[in-house]
Amino acid sequence: MDDRLNNLRNMTGSHIKLMRLALNEAETAGQKGEVPVGAVLVEDSGKILSSAHNRTIAAHDPTAHAEILALRKAALNILNYRLLNTTLYVTIEPCLMCMGAIIHARVSRIVFGANDPKWGAAGSLYNFANDLRLNHQPKIISGVLDGECRKLMRDFFRDRRNLL
């Protein structure tokens, strides 16, 4: 029982550490006027394959979400479109588009901070990860640094409204 508890603590500590890296990416996005979402993709060994933040405005690309950019970088990094045995850390619950890409890439796990009741496709609005009609079901872990992730988004949009 003590070993299982220690493994849980180590896993939780690792999730927090990696989510902080995703939060750093999200903060960078916000500083650039992008919606503050950050993502980090990690192999099961702990090796970071990629990190990214939203760039839809700068790239003039509606698909330039943090998750998509992290998947693209990692695939190029390992020269494989299948990202088996990986975990994607993202500050906000992935949307429909991102969940589709995550499932196609065969990412094993998604760890996210705050739920997205308007766009979330990992349990809030839709639950693609539990759709047995799809050929892959990533494991979902939600709520890691939820308060910090939610605050970053809330403050960003509050500041944007105040500028208007």
Side-chain angles (χ1 to χ4, degrees), residues 6-49:
N6 284 333
N7 286 341
L8 181 61
R9 282 187 189 128
N10 290 339
M11 186 173 64
T12 303
S14 177
H15 288 332
I16 289 169
K17 175 184 161 200
L18 291 161
M19 186 60 74
R20 288 210 187 284
L21 294 177
L23 271 165
N24 289 340
E25 286 287 339
E27 288 169 0
T28 299
Q31 292 164 0
K32 295 178 178 179
E34 301 275 0
V35 175
V37 178
V40 175
L41 189 72
V42 181
E43 286 183 333
D44 282 353
S45 68
K47 178 183 178 189
I48 295 174
L49 295 176

Side-chain angles (χ1 to χ4, degrees), residues 85-115:
N85 304 310
T86 60
T87 300
L88 181 68
Y89 290 85
V90 62
T91 55
I92 302 298
E93 180 181 358
C95 71
L96 299 163
M97 174 184 68
C98 293
M99 280 300 293
I102 290 163
I103 289 167
H104 278 289
R106 311 296 195 280
V107 171
S108 301
R109 277 168 302 288
I110 303 164
V111 178
F112 70 86
N115 290 331

